[in-house]
Amino acid sequence: MIQSAKSQKLYNDLINGRIINKSLLQEGELFPNPDYTELFSNLEDYVELYRNIGFELVFKDSFFFIRDLALGDAYKEMAIKIQVTLLILSRKITEAGYGYDLLEDET
């Protein structure tokens, strides 16, 4: 069952282009993401909810994102490629033992 407060937080995150990953990186360690768990546990309800408001809730192996049903396929395909590229890049950086501070320019 969807809880209103959790649903509103998830909507705010997703509508602003965030991807909900299965794990969170905190202090160099990966922890289960409660937002991912909420979406996964109530997947059918959330899929229907987002479809009713004109979005598609997309579930891949270890992350969720939404896309606007009114946008064309070419835009959707490009957005997916960019999101997957960023996800793979961040995953490889973390697996190599680097923190996200590596991406910051110190100069």
Side-chain angles (χ1 to χ4, degrees):
M1 166 149 268
I2 295 177
Q3 296 179 11
S4 181
K6 289 181 181 180
S7 176
Q8 289 173 17
K9 179 194 178 305
L10 288 168
Y11 176 79
N12 188 45
D13 289 345
L14 291 167
I15 200 70
N16 285 306
R18 293 193 179 104
I19 296 174
I20 307 297
N21 291 310
K22 186 174 187 174
S23 302
L24 293 173
L25 180 66
Q26 295 176 344
E27 299 177 13
E29 293 186 42
L30 292 176
F31 293 95
N33 184 346
D35 292 341
Y36 178 92
T37 304
E38 171 67 17
L39 285 169
F40 189 78
S41 298
N42 300 295
L43 185 57
E44 290 180 20
D45 294 333
Y46 278 107
V47 166
E48 182 179 347
L49 171 67
Y50 283 99
R51 187 181 319 118
N52 287 337
I53 59 174
F55 291 94
E56 177 185 8
L57 178 63
V58 180
F59 169 60
K60 300 293 181 183
D61 282 334
S62 59
F63 61 95
F64 288 94
F65 65 93
I66 61 169
R67 59 180 161 213
D68 193 333
L69 292 173
L71 298 177
D73 288 336
Y75 176 82
K76 291 177 188 177
E77 189 68 29
M78 181 59 71
I80 290 171
K81 288 179 181 180
I82 291 169
Q83 290 172 338
V84 168
T85 301
L86 292 172
L87 179 66
I88 291 170
L89 177 64
S90 65
R91 194 175 279 171
K92 292 298 179 187
I93 288 172
T94 356
E95 286 175 358
Y98 297 105
Y100 286 104
D101 56 334
L102 173 70
L103 300 174
E104 296 177 6
D105 185 8
E106 295 290 328
T107 59

